[in-house]
Amino acid sequence: MSLLPVWQPATVDEVERALGDRSEQQLAVRLRQDLLVGLPNNAKAALGRTAWTFLVGGWSDPILASLPAASRDLQIGRELEELTSLGLTDLVGYVPFGWEPQLAALFASNGLGVVAVGSGTTMPLTATVTDYLGQVVQIWPLHDPPPALVTADGRPSRTQLPVDREWARTIDANPEASLLYRKMLRLATRWPDRPPAEAVDLLLEAQASTWYLTSTDRTRAHTALTLARRRLDQERRLGADWTKVSQLDWDADGVGEVQVENRDLSIVVDPVEGLIKTVDLKTTGRPISYLPGEPPWRIGRVLSDGTPTRLPFELDAVEEARDQITLRMSHPDLKVDLGIRDTDLTFDYRPESGLAYDRLGPELVLAFDHPVRMRVDGGSWLDIGEPDAFPGHRFRFDDGRSQVLVSLAQPGDLFVTGADHGVVVWVNWPVNPGEYRATVSLTG
């Protein structure tokens, strides 16, 4: 059995030092995207003169098994383009976790006949050969620790590697990771044949495994997906007032959602859960509804005897006008209409006498890029920190670059809590029969 040590440098400086004192060592080296981009030209030129084998696992270090076939090709193709442009030829595929049989075909079709695969208790302990529909690759098991590859020593036997979907269980266990994953899939599975290069880079960035397998602020990934969608819209030369509605099981939970898009917004509504799961402002890439650790928007948050509750709804109808989409929803003794036009979302509530709650209204998570302040009915600006409540008609939030205006047709109250890079607000009224309207206007 022959072992090939694996080295995964963390910084450009580490790579440059190794080019001076480790270039003659037999190493399997994994260079992440940021290292390949950040290396100076003289260091890039020196890579081809080393004794290193280079591990190819996708441009942004994705979970390859989690991606549609087209995205897998984009990831591997983008990385191979960079590596081969540097004259590197000693290349081995790399799957540290998440094996699917189709990955054998992915690497074989991209000219990589050897793949390093993370080993577990059911993985082979020696080099082997596997195939997918006749496309054959040799597998070098990855032993960790210490990180080393078991290279072929003689003629390897043939086997089928076990499927490894632990990545899926990890994502499903984290609501924020799962939300981002479903958003990424929705875009990636509808990817055009000839996308703009800028959109490709944004999609690849949002597919990096770190967004899905660790506890982290995912704002940058949400922004990348939103900007990629915006760039594709521009490429299609859609008009200013276009709208699109899709009814589908967006998050694969067995219950349908509604996705609404126009030039400026992308929104996913889950009536059964009583949630607006995503609100993305495409003009700037801002994921308005995403703050780490906070839930999505709640369509109908109610209070009874001091206990808050989120109401579920049935979707009664989706009405499409030229420039507005209206979702009509109902709960026993309550009707709610959600209107979406341009960058405005309007909540219309019609409670009846049988609705046995004290207060009612939407709860909104509003993300900003900078510290945010607010003012009520045109008054002085106020800093936001500890939970507080304000009566009024118009509540404006501003971070110096972007604004959100919450306008109430009837006098009501706004409960607000400050958060890192945003606020959480609950707009509410006492529950009485009648009609109540709140409009949320997003700018910049």
Side-chain angles (χ1 to χ4, degrees):
M1 182 171 67
S2 301
L3 296 180
L4 180 65
V6 175
W7 180 49
Q8 301 186 65
T11 66
V12 168
D13 286 343
E14 284 186 46
V15 179
E16 290 189 278
R17 287 196 299 271
L19 286 170
D21 56 27
R22 303 183 68 184
S23 64
E24 299 301 320
Q25 294 182 21
Q26 297 285 334
L27 296 172
V29 180
R30 175 65 176 153
L31 295 181
R32 300 191 315 265
Q33 167 194 348
D34 58 309
L35 302 181
L36 284 170
V37 171
L39 280 174
N41 289 336
N42 63 325
K44 290 181 179 180
L47 290 174
R49 297 191 293 272
T50 66
W52 300 346
T53 296
F54 294 91
L55 301 176
V56 182
W59 180 242
S60 66
D61 262 349
I63 311 166
L64 286 170
S66 75
L67 303 180
S71 288
R72 295 173 182 176
D73 282 327
L74 285 174
Q75 287 281 354
I76 296 299
R78 177 69 182 85
E79 186 173 10
L80 284 176
E81 178 183 356
E82 180 71 18
L83 294 173
T84 56
S85 72
L86 300 176
L88 306 181
T89 58
D90 195 358
L91 308 176
V92 168
Y94 182 57
V95 182
F97 53 84
W99 178 261
E100 299 276 355
Q102 296 89 333
L103 295 181
L106 168 71
F107 289 107
S109 63
N110 279 281
L112 297 170
V114 177
V115 184
V117 179
S119 59
T121 56
T122 59
M123 293 289 290
L125 298 178
T126 60
T128 186
V129 169
T130 192
D131 78 302
Y132 180 74
L133 300 179
Q135 293 184 282
V136 182
V137 292
Q138 188 176 121
I139 301 298
W140 288 357
L142 173 64
H143 287 189
D144 189 19
L149 296 177
V150 182
T151 64
D153 196 8
R155 182 173 180 175
S157 61
R158 182 184 179 281
T159 190
Q160 289 294 337
L161 300 185
V163 172
D164 173 15
R165 292 184 59 83
E166 183 60 32
W167 61 267
R169 290 182 283 274
T170 301
I171 292 175
D172 287 343
N174 186 320
E176 291 186 15
S178 182
L179 178 69
L180 178 67
Y181 180 62
R182 295 301 164 182
K183 184 187 290 188
M184 182 276 291
L185 278 186
R186 179 66 178 167
L187 182 62
T189 54
R190 287 151 185 81
W191 200 247
D193 292 334
R194 296 182 179 180
E198 179 185 358
V200 173
D201 289 341
L202 290 165
L203 176 65
L204 298 184
E205 178 182 359
Q207 292 174 337
S209 61
T210 184
W211 305 124
Y212 304 96
L213 299 180
T214 61
S215 297
T216 185
D217 183 343
R218 298 174 172 84
T219 300
R220 181 173 169 180
H222 282 281
T223 297
L225 290 174
T226 303
L227 291 175
R229 187 177 292 276
R230 171 68 169 174
R231 186 66 186 88
L232 294 180
D233 291 346
Q234 294 171 333
E235 189 74 6
R236 296 176 182 129
R237 303 181 185 275
L238 299 172
D241 58 354
W242 68 273
T243 59
K244 180 180 179 182
V245 178
S246 304
Q247 296 189 52
L248 71 160
D249 187 358
W250 185 85
D251 55 5
D253 65 350
V255 179
E257 287 81 31
V258 182
Q259 183 172 17
V260 179
E261 286 197 67
N262 59 30
R263 182 188 64 176
D264 301 308
L265 292 178
S266 179
I267 298 171
V268 175
V269 182
D270 186 338
V272 173
E273 291 290 325
L275 299 173
I276 302 179
K277 294 198 165 183
T278 67
V279 181
D280 295 323
L281 188 61
K282 292 194 287 187
T283 48
T284 61
R286 284 177 60 208
I288 299 292
S289 61
Y290 173 71
L291 283 176
E294 297 294 340
W297 287 18
R298 301 176 181 184
I299 299 169
R301 186 178 189 266
V302 294
L303 193 67
S304 179
D305 296 328
T307 302
T309 304
R310 165 170 45 95
L311 296 180
F313 295 94
E314 290 187 7
L315 179 64
D316 297 327
V318 178
E319 299 180 358
E320 301 184 45
R322 181 167 179 260
D323 58 352
Q324 174 165 317
I325 305 296
T326 302
L327 278 61
R328 300 196 183 277
M329 296 169 281
S330 63
H331 180 85
D333 303 313
L334 173 65
K335 302 290 185 183
V336 179
D337 292 346
L338 173 63
I340 302 161
R341 172 183 290 178
D342 299 328
T343 57
D344 290 351
L345 291 89
T346 301
F347 297 83
D348 284 306
Y349 299 90
R350 297 185 298 280
E352 300 177 3
S353 58
L355 190 65
Y357 296 100
D358 300 326
R359 306 189 74 86
L360 162 70
E363 185 175 60
L364 316 172
V365 174
L366 303 176
F368 288 88
D369 296 328
H370 306 278
V372 61
R373 57 182 183 165
M374 69 171 289
R375 65 180 179 182
V376 181
D377 293 336
S380 58
W381 288 103
L382 305 170
D383 293 328
I384 303 170
E386 296 299 318
D388 209 340
F390 302 89
H393 280 87
R394 292 168 62 85
F395 306 89
R396 188 179 297 276
F397 299 89
D398 180 275
D399 72 348
R401 298 185 183 182
S402 307
Q403 290 192 357
V404 175
L405 175 64
V406 180
S407 305
L408 310 187
Q410 302 81 10
D413 294 299
L414 182 138
F415 296 177
V416 59
T417 303
D420 288 341
H421 298 292
V423 294
V424 180
V425 302
W426 179 37
V427 183
N428 61 90
W429 304 268
V431 175
N432 294 300
E435 296 185 2
Y436 302 90
R437 168 175 288 190
T439 300
V440 182
S441 301
L442 311 173
T443 59

